[in-house]
Amino acid sequence: MGPETPVLSPFGPQSIRERSKVVVKLVNRMESVVQARSNELMPYLFKVASALGAKNTEQVLWKELLRQGVEPDWRMLQSAISLRTSTRADYKQTMELIMHVMHVYPIETSNGAESALDVLPADRSALYLSILKGLSNCGMTEPFELLAHEMLDTPHLKARTFSVLAQTWLETLGHLSTASSTIHHVWGILKTKAANFVPSSQYDAAIKLDRSHFHAVVEAYVRVGDVSSAWNVIHDEMPRHGFMPELNTFYTLVVPLASTSKLWPVGKSVVAKFNTHYPEIVRRAVEDKTNTLIVKALLRQALNDFDGESQGVKA
């Protein structure tokens, strides 16, 4: 019943509004459903309501939970947070829900011992990562940073949690009016955490920065206008960590510059610089038929200028 699911009727695929009505009808029939089976169905219905962006349907689901006297589990709360933040619901209500979740499912208990959900760390991590992404969607920078720091400091941090947290944090910085120094600071925190992390058990994987994290910080720097720092990450830091630049690295650097005509002079100089150090990658970009017209135009102008300057030097 999600937005991409082909639910058919005699009149063709149902609209999102009609699918929301189906969810409400299922809820209205739950009085005859055994509670155990109802508990299995409710998380799925919450997920459908979230995918459809159906706030009214979600309210019906909450009323049904109250009628049954059932506490929402982490899956229901995860879907509710995603819905509230994606639809820009009332910020006060959204924060109240988030604070409730953090109270019910804390990262650690007050005595420092593992919480009950440490038995299922993946569940708790998914819930907290949903909160992080929601705060990012709402532009709530300060609570996002506070929660990100708290999650990084937990002694039971898992590799997957760190990977998604780092990616979300870097992408958030790139889409806000952030100073380059802030990106540099956060990038330093993530690098230090990855370098000094000690797994809590022999079964835990080591956390590390991967290629997607480097691309995320490159894009963040470019979006705030610090092309020099972006280039340093590509040309110096990535090779030191075992990642040589590739075609996607080039696009991560160039596409944001190509999207704004005022930045074309910078974009052309970047293409020329990339062509000097990594000509094979630029050649592949030129031959890439999936490029947008704007990127193709920037490449063409940059390389024409580069060839002209080279001929002038030779002459």
Side-chain angles (χ1 to χ4, degrees):
M1 288 182 291
E4 305 301 326
T5 307
V7 179
L8 300 179
S9 72
F11 305 100
Q14 291 181 335
S15 66
I16 288 179
R17 182 178 179 181
E18 290 301 317
R19 297 180 194 205
S20 300
K21 290 181 179 179
V22 172
V23 176
V24 174
K25 288 180 181 179
L26 286 173
V27 173
N28 292 335
R29 294 180 182 179
M30 279 187 173
E31 294 184 8
S32 60
V33 178
V34 179
Q35 184 169 321
R37 296 297 303 277
S38 173
N39 291 347
E40 294 175 5
L41 184 60
M42 287 297 283
Y44 173 74
L45 294 179
F46 265 94
K47 187 174 182 180
V48 172
S50 175
L52 296 174
K55 289 185 288 186
N56 292 337
T57 304
E58 186 216 17
Q59 292 174 1
V60 173
L61 292 172
W62 283 114
K63 290 178 181 178
E64 178 62 20
L65 285 180
L66 289 173
R67 186 188 70 79
Q68 295 184 13
V70 176
E71 285 290 328
D73 66 9
W74 71 271
R75 294 169 296 176
M76 302 178 200
L77 292 169
Q78 182 182 17
S79 297
I81 290 170
S82 298
L83 174 60
R84 299 285 179 86
T85 54
S86 64
T87 58
R88 297 297 180 95
D90 181 80
Y91 281 178
K92 183 180 179 181
Q93 292 182 359
T94 301
M95 287 306 300
E96 287 176 351
L97 176 60
I98 289 174
M99 295 304 294
H100 169 74
V101 170
M102 294 179 68
H103 175 72
V104 176
Y105 299 118
I107 291 181
E108 288 186 339
T109 55
S110 57
N111 62 5
E114 295 184 42
S115 68
L117 276 187
D118 274 324
V119 180
L120 297 171
D123 296 352
R124 185 194 59 191
S125 295
L127 185 56
Y128 270 78
L129 289 171
S130 291
I131 294 175
L132 270 183
K133 291 181 178 179
L135 293 173
S136 173
N137 291 338
C138 291
M140 297 181 179
T141 308
E142 186 173 347
F144 177 97
E145 292 180 352
L146 290 172
L147 180 57
H149 279 291
E150 187 173 356
M151 291 179 68
L152 279 180
D153 291 339
T154 179
H156 310 292
L157 183 66
K158 303 299 180 183
R160 181 186 175 281
T161 303
F162 173 81
S163 179
V164 178
L165 187 158
Q167 187 78 19
T168 304
W169 202 348
L170 293 170
E171 290 176 354
T172 299
L173 292 173
H175 288 84
L176 296 175
S177 299
T178 307
S180 178
S181 58
T182 302
I183 298 174
H184 182 75
H185 176 67
V186 171
W187 183 232
I189 291 174
L190 296 174
K191 289 191 292 184
T192 300
K193 187 68 177 181
N196 300 332
F197 179 76
V198 178
S200 57
S201 75
Q202 59 179 335
Y203 302 106
D204 289 340
I207 64 175
K208 57 184 179 180
L209 296 167
D210 59 29
R211 185 181 293 275
S212 65
H213 298 126
F214 284 95
H215 285 178
V217 75
V218 166
E219 184 173 356
Y221 275 130
V222 174
R223 288 190 180 278
V224 300
D226 190 353
V227 177
S228 177
S229 293
W231 175 256
N232 288 336
V233 172
I234 292 172
H235 193 56
D236 296 329
E237 291 191 45
M238 286 182 65
R240 285 205 308 269
H241 286 79
F243 301 110
M244 293 304 297
E246 59 179 17
L247 187 60
N248 285 337
T249 311
F250 176 73
Y251 287 149
T252 301
L253 182 62
V254 170
V255 169
L257 298 174
S259 302
T260 305
S261 58
K262 292 181 180 180
L263 296 177
W264 270 45
V266 179
K268 290 194 290 185
S269 66
V270 165
V271 172
K273 194 171 187 177
F274 222 99
N275 193 45
T276 300
H277 294 276
Y278 311 104
E280 179 60 24
I281 294 176
V282 176
R283 183 189 64 79
R284 289 174 56 197
V286 171
E287 296 175 352
D288 186 1
K289 296 182 180 180
T290 65
N291 264 333
T292 61
L293 293 175
I294 196 73
V295 172
K296 289 180 180 179
L298 176 62
L299 285 172
R300 184 168 56 251
Q301 286 195 23
L303 294 176
N304 286 340
D305 292 349
F306 178 79
D307 291 340
E309 291 176 3
S310 298
Q311 291 173 4
V313 171
K314 290 179 181 179

